[in-house]
Amino acid sequence: MEIIETALQNGGEPNQSDAFTINGQPGDLYDCSTEGTFKMVVDYGKTYLLRIINAIMNEEMFFMVANHSLTVVGTDGAYIKPINTSYIMITPGQTMDVLITADQSPSYYYMASRAYAVAGAYDNTTTTAIVQYNGNYTPPSTPPLPNLPNYTDTDAAANFTVRLRSLANEDYPVDVPQTVDTHMYITISMNTLPCVNNSCDGPDGSRLASSLNNISFVEPSIDVLLAYYKGINGVYDTDFPNEPPYYFNFTGDDLPDTLLTPERGTKVKVLDYNSNVEIVFQGTNVMNAAENHPMHLHGYSFYVVGNGTGNFDNSTDPTSYNLVDPPEVNTVGVPKNGWVAIRFRADNPGVWFMHCHLERHASWGMDTVLIVKNGTTSSTSMLEPPSYLNPC
């Protein structure tokens, strides 16, 4: 917390991490950490389920196991059609269920992970753990290391993500909204805010910020959930827009400086209960800072029905939507200089945070709140709070 609090105070980037970890251990490639390297002990011929979560604050990650294939069978708690792959790309907040079969000669093999990062500074270290086979053999002095994709390999990230499909069978059906009541087109941007005497650590003495539809979210002193439930006025506004305030070549190069400064506010979007919602997230290249943004919605899983590069075309791109077996997730990576379309049914009444899962972006304002109104019955309405709430 001290790292992000210092960054928010000074207005610049947070300090880079010193290491990544697998199950709490950095691994053999860092100084002084070999003794604690995590080891996964396996028996030859058995298949193991890895439940992988990216709990990293600010980096999307590639992950591999040397000389072994991976079979991805689930994402964010929902089954998918099995994907055979040598690597995965997983964003902060995402979870994946991965099968691995111990089918290699008994030995030691590194599992390893490093960043997928396409903008700004990033931690370029590699964390490792060891897959250790049971048996009688002489361990290698150096286990084989997987050939991870390069840090900036956008094609590798996209080629993995595009393969995700829901299982969508009789036992595990999908319920993709085929019609839409509320359309939202949300631009995702990096921004700056002015500082007195240009005294901050951002570009040209400014303060780094970020926004959705050119609104940089301001955290209120009273939380939105309490204000909504208790009917407290003046905490938030209900005019978060369904589209950006102006249109331009969102993914163009060298965009004008007039786009740098967002509006600041605590703006939310109110949705009717059981309405069908489509949100198209559009990446932008404001500040020449386009990157992959993992967008996360509390309270819901949603269907990723489409994605692409460049600017979303409302006339042609929806014709390519997958409304048959799209993956059902709660976090989705919006590709660098691209877009993602999601759909969900607003059937969970309440107050739900929607934000980029890169911690620095969320802290800078790349957030909003979706308020889903109550239905007509007690079972389709918000639960009452418990009689005692633990104080913050």
Side-chain angles (χ1 to χ4, degrees):
M1 289 303 297
E2 291 177 7
I3 291 174
I4 190 63
E5 288 169 359
T6 299
L8 293 175
Q9 180 178 355
N10 297 335
E13 290 269 6
N15 286 347
Q16 292 178 45
S17 57
D18 297 313
F20 301 116
T21 64
I22 295 176
N23 278 2
Q25 298 295 331
D28 292 351
L29 304 186
Y30 301 88
D31 292 337
C32 308
S33 62
T34 298
E35 184 176 342
T37 297
F38 173 72
K39 294 180 174 64
M40 174 182 163
V41 180
V42 300
D43 293 323
Y44 179 84
K46 288 187 177 181
T47 298
Y48 295 83
L49 174 62
L50 308 181
R51 298 191 184 276
I52 301 172
I53 181 168
N54 184 342
I56 293 166
M57 303 298 284
N58 281 311
E59 306 289 2
E60 296 152 314
M61 302 295 288
F62 291 116
F63 173 89
M64 295 180 70
V65 179
N67 297 7
H68 290 72
S69 295
L70 306 174
T71 303
V72 187
V73 295
T75 59
D76 289 350
Y79 285 113
I80 64 169
K81 292 179 171 66
I83 295 172
N84 295 317
T85 181
S86 61
Y87 69 93
I88 66 171
M89 196 284 286
I90 185 168
T91 74
Q94 278 187 326
T95 64
M96 293 188 183
D97 299 294
V98 179
L99 299 175
I100 180 172
T101 299
D103 56 3
Q104 298 299 300
S105 299
S107 187
Y108 286 15
Y109 299 88
Y110 277 134
M111 62 173 68
S113 186
R114 71 180 179 193
Y116 163 55
V118 292
Y122 57 90
D123 183 337
N124 64 357
T125 63
T126 300
T127 179
T128 59
I130 293 174
V131 176
Q132 177 181 324
Y133 279 70
N134 279 321
N136 295 318
Y137 56 87
T138 301
S141 57
T142 302
L145 188 68
N147 185 24
L148 287 157
N150 191 44
Y151 305 103
T152 59
D153 195 340
T154 294
D155 288 342
N159 290 340
F160 171 75
T161 303
V162 76
R163 298 175 65 190
L164 300 178
R165 293 284 186 272
S166 285
L167 197 54
N169 60 19
E170 185 175 342
D171 293 326
Y172 299 97
V174 295
D175 185 19
V176 186
Q178 301 295 306
T179 60
V180 175
D181 302 305
T182 299
H183 290 268
M184 300 183 72
Y185 184 49
I186 299 179
T187 52
I188 303 171
S189 299
M190 300 303 303
N191 304 101
T192 59
L193 294 168
C195 267
V196 177
N197 298 323
N198 295 326
S199 57
C200 287
D201 290 345
D204 300 320
S206 67
R207 175 180 298 279
L208 287 169
S210 59
S211 65
L212 299 176
N213 273 355
N214 204 47
I215 297 167
S216 187
F217 188 80
V218 177
E219 292 188 8
S221 57
I222 299 173
D223 61 86
V224 177
L225 174 60
L226 182 65
Y228 175 68
Y229 191 83
K230 296 289 189 181
I232 303 172
N233 294 323
V235 176
Y236 60 87
D237 298 314
T238 58
D239 58 348
F240 183 87
N242 285 343
E243 60 181 326
Y246 33 77
Y247 283 74
F248 53 94
N249 180 11
F250 298 119
T251 57
D253 295 328
D254 300 319
L255 297 174
D257 289 347
T258 54
L259 301 172
L260 290 178
T261 306
E263 178 184 350
R264 301 183 73 237
T266 308
K267 296 180 181 292
V268 310
K269 175 66 179 178
V270 179
L271 299 170
D272 289 331
Y273 177 79
N274 224 30
S275 58
N276 292 334
V277 182
E278 177 178 303
I279 301 175
V280 176
F281 293 109
Q282 173 68 63
T284 75
N285 196 31
V286 176
M287 288 182 60
N288 289 319
E291 63 180 295
N292 197 86
H293 293 280
M295 296 303 298
H296 175 65
L297 174 59
H298 292 202
Y300 284 88
S301 290
F302 50 77
Y303 294 102
V304 181
V305 297
N307 65 78
T309 58
N311 300 322
F312 176 75
D313 188 323
N314 193 44
S315 299
T316 59
D317 285 328
T319 62
S320 66
Y321 281 180
N322 173 14
L323 302 179
V324 177
D325 61 351
E328 185 180 15
V329 298
N330 59 50
T331 305
V332 62
V334 180
K336 176 184 178 181
N337 280 331
W339 58 270
V340 161
I342 70 170
R343 287 187 182 183
F344 64 95
R345 183 168 293 108
D347 56 2
N348 188 13
V351 177
W352 306 112
F353 198 39
M354 185 169 71
H355 61 97
C356 179
H357 223 296
L358 299 178
E359 175 61 28
R360 64 191 191 280
H361 293 178
S363 298
W364 291 337
M366 197 175 285
D367 328 282
T368 189
V369 173
L370 303 184
I371 294 179
V372 178
K373 294 192 291 188
N374 286 339
T376 58
T377 67
S378 59
S379 63
T380 60
S381 300
M382 289 177 62
L383 295 173
E384 293 183 3
S387 57
Y388 175 74
L389 283 173
N390 288 328
C392 293

